[in-house]
Amino acid sequence: MTKSSLLDIKDEVYMLQKLMYEQSKQLDNFSDPAIVKISQLLDEKLNIIQKAQVKN
């Protein structure tokens, strides 16, 4: 994985974190399907970053 693609994924993580925070404030329900979906996407991105760091 290139540094550029890793930076892109980190940007996506930041955006997903921000989105999840905003949605949780609006919905006031952490088990709402929209928040769960965002959380799952966030997990996927974080796993990609972790795997890339282990390889290096």
Side-chain angles (χ1 to χ4, degrees):
M1 175 172 290
T2 66
K3 284 187 178 185
S4 176
S5 60
L6 191 56
L7 288 175
D8 289 342
I9 293 172
K10 288 181 179 183
D11 287 342
E12 290 177 34
V13 165
Y14 175 76
M15 289 186 333
L16 288 168
Q17 288 173 327
K18 186 175 177 181
L19 179 61
M20 190 167 69
Y21 174 74
E22 291 169 358
Q23 289 288 313
S24 66
K25 281 179 30 181
Q26 289 179 353
L27 299 171
D28 197 31
N29 179 2
F30 286 104
S31 61
D32 185 276
I35 294 176
V36 171
K37 182 65 177 170
I38 295 167
S39 178
Q40 290 171 337
L41 289 170
L42 188 54
D43 287 344
E44 289 175 18
K45 302 297 180 184
L46 292 171
N47 286 338
I48 291 169
I49 292 170
Q50 184 178 21
K51 287 178 185 176
Q53 290 174 343
V54 168
K55 289 181 181 179
N56 293 332

